[in-house]
Structure formats: C-alpha cells, structure tokens
Amino acid sequence: MYYDQVEQNGDPVSVEVDARGRFADVTLAGLDDGLRDAAMLADAFDTAYAAALVAHAPRAPESLAGARPAGPVVLGRPPAPDPSGGPHWDLIDAGGGGTGELSPVGTSDNECLRVRLEPAGSRGRLVDIDPGWLRQAPRTAVVAAVHQAFADAYGKRDHG
C-alpha cells in the first residue's frame, strides 16, 4: 500500500492518506489543552486531512501549467445542513450504517469517537467525540480510536 506522509511543520496533527485518498494514519504531536476539546481536535484533523490530500494530488504536466480549469473550482466545506431538515440532509444524517445510505459512520471500539465519511469520496471527518474521554485519554488511545472508527466506516462502505 502506498502512503504519502505530510510533514507536521509545527502542526499538532498530521494525517497520512493512501493512493485512493483514504485515511491511513494520524500523528498527534501531543494533546495540549486545545486538542482536548472535541471541536478543536476535529478541526485540526480536518485541516491535516485536507493538507494530506493536497500533497497527494497528482501534479499537472508542465504543458498544462497555467491552463485554466474548464469549470468552476469550489473549495471549502460543504454547506451547513438546511435547518428545515430538507430531504437530502435526512439521507446524509441518517447515520450510514452500510445499508446503502450515503454517508457511512464508523465507531471506535470504545464507542468514544465516530467518523463520518463524505457521501462521495474517501475523506472522513471526526464527529461525536466523547468530551470526558478526550479530556483524559492518552494520545495513543486517541490515535487508536481514530484508526478503529475509520476502519469501521470504510468496512461499512466497502462491504455494506
């Protein structure tokens, strides 16, 4: 399997992806007070995952350098769910248990961390991190939980 390491450059979280852009590994430089907050850990992980995907993206041939994209380029996070709970968000938020839903969710063995895969693609986001567990968990336990949750989510998508 091919892995692309993204150097930490002082960032507290580093993510590795494989050739398909799937999560392969995470490195936590430490769990300071900021990363002991579930939202801050999720944001740092998301930033590191995006950096890994960019670093892993195939480079355009020199002959295309300066060529303009054929269509609009959209960067950033998907829009927030429609507060009215529109039908498309009902499908995504339904949980994705590997039964054909659009967005599989994987859970760590200790059930303290969950990962939701994007509906189209291999990228995932950390969701539903137990704050009490995160405040006291050793760094190795957090890394293991992320691995377990991604394995569960990919298993649901691949074999669901």
Side-chain angles (χ1 to χ4, degrees):
M1 179 177 271
Y2 172 77
Y3 296 95
D4 192 8
Q5 173 78 36
V6 176
E7 292 186 21
Q8 287 199 274
N9 298 326
D11 293 328
V13 179
S14 177
V15 171
E16 295 178 35
V17 298
D18 67 13
R20 298 180 291 173
R22 286 183 171 216
F23 169 82
D25 198 10
V26 62
T27 302
L28 301 176
L31 279 175
D32 63 12
D33 289 340
L35 291 182
R36 294 248 179 226
D37 175 81
M40 292 180 76
L41 177 61
D43 285 344
F45 182 87
D46 192 46
T47 299
Y49 204 135
L53 291 173
V54 168
H56 188 266
R59 306 287 183 229
E62 297 272 337
S63 62
L64 295 179
R68 296 181 54 103
V73 176
V74 179
L75 300 175
R77 291 183 173 206
D82 182 346
S84 68
H88 62 287
W89 287 109
D90 289 343
L91 290 174
I92 293 171
D93 291 338
T99 57
E101 284 103 355
L102 297 176
S103 191
V105 173
T107 305
S108 63
D109 293 349
N110 65 4
E111 299 183 358
C112 291
L113 184 141
R114 294 185 340 148
V115 168
R116 181 182 306 275
L117 298 182
E118 291 183 346
S122 298
R123 186 173 176 179
R125 300 188 190 286
L126 303 184
V127 296
D128 298 329
I129 304 169
D130 181 290
W133 169 78
L134 184 59
R135 277 192 297 275
Q136 55 81 32
R139 183 172 43 125
T140 55
V142 175
V143 168
V146 171
H147 275 273
Q148 293 160 2
F150 267 99
D152 186 40
Y154 289 139
K156 289 175 180 176
R157 173 163 290 160
D158 296 344
H159 307 292

